[in-house]
């Protein structure tokens, strides 16, 4: 299991388009991904869970990946978030 804390820099937060981009990128990995936000654990491969979490600009989140390709998944997840989810 690997994890890293990061900050959402997209001005609109995790709204529909960036959330969809994120999920599309994460679904190519076999590992599980969890986003820790405000004490909640969110499935990082579920658009409904991410949208329901209302993760906004400036939110501090922790990404946790667990599985055989966890480090690659974590690296890409953090890169996407820190580049504005584009």
């Amino acid at each position: 299991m690997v994890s890293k804390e990061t900050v959402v820099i997209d001005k609109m937060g995790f709204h529909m388009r960036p959330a969809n981009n994120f999920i599309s990128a994460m679904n190519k990995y076999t590992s599980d991904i969890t986003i820790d936000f405000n004490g909640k654990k969110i499935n990082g491969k579920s658009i409904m869970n991410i949208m329901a979490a209302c993760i906004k600009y400036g939110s501090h989140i922790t990404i946790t990946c667990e599985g055989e390709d966890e480090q690659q998944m974590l690296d890409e997840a953090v890169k996407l978030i820190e580049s504005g989810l584009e």
Side-chain angles (χ1 to χ4, degrees):
M1 180 179 354
V2 293
S3 63
K4 183 171 182 180
E5 184 175 329
T6 189
V7 177
V8 176
I9 66 164
D10 186 293
K11 295 288 184 193
M12 300 297 287
F14 253 111
H15 61 94
M16 184 61 80
R17 189 186 79 252
N20 190 49
N21 292 345
F22 183 81
I23 290 163
S24 293
M26 296 303 102
N27 276 322
K28 67 184 178 189
Y29 296 98
T30 59
S31 295
D32 293 324
I33 182 167
T34 304
I35 302 169
D36 293 323
F37 175 63
N38 282 347
K40 296 178 185 170
K41 296 200 180 297
I42 301 147
N43 179 349
K45 290 186 176 181
S46 168
I47 195 153
M48 296 304 288
N49 289 346
I50 290 175
M51 297 302 299
C54 297
I55 302 171
K56 300 191 182 320
Y57 169 76
S59 295
H60 291 261
I61 60 175
T62 301
I63 305 294
T64 303
C65 300
E66 186 171 3
E68 61 187 56
D69 52 4
E70 62 190 22
Q71 189 61 57
Q72 294 88 351
M73 184 184 219
L74 179 65
D75 293 344
E76 185 168 359
V78 170
K79 181 180 175 183
L80 278 168
I81 292 164
E82 292 181 348
S83 69
L85 296 163
E86 295 300 325

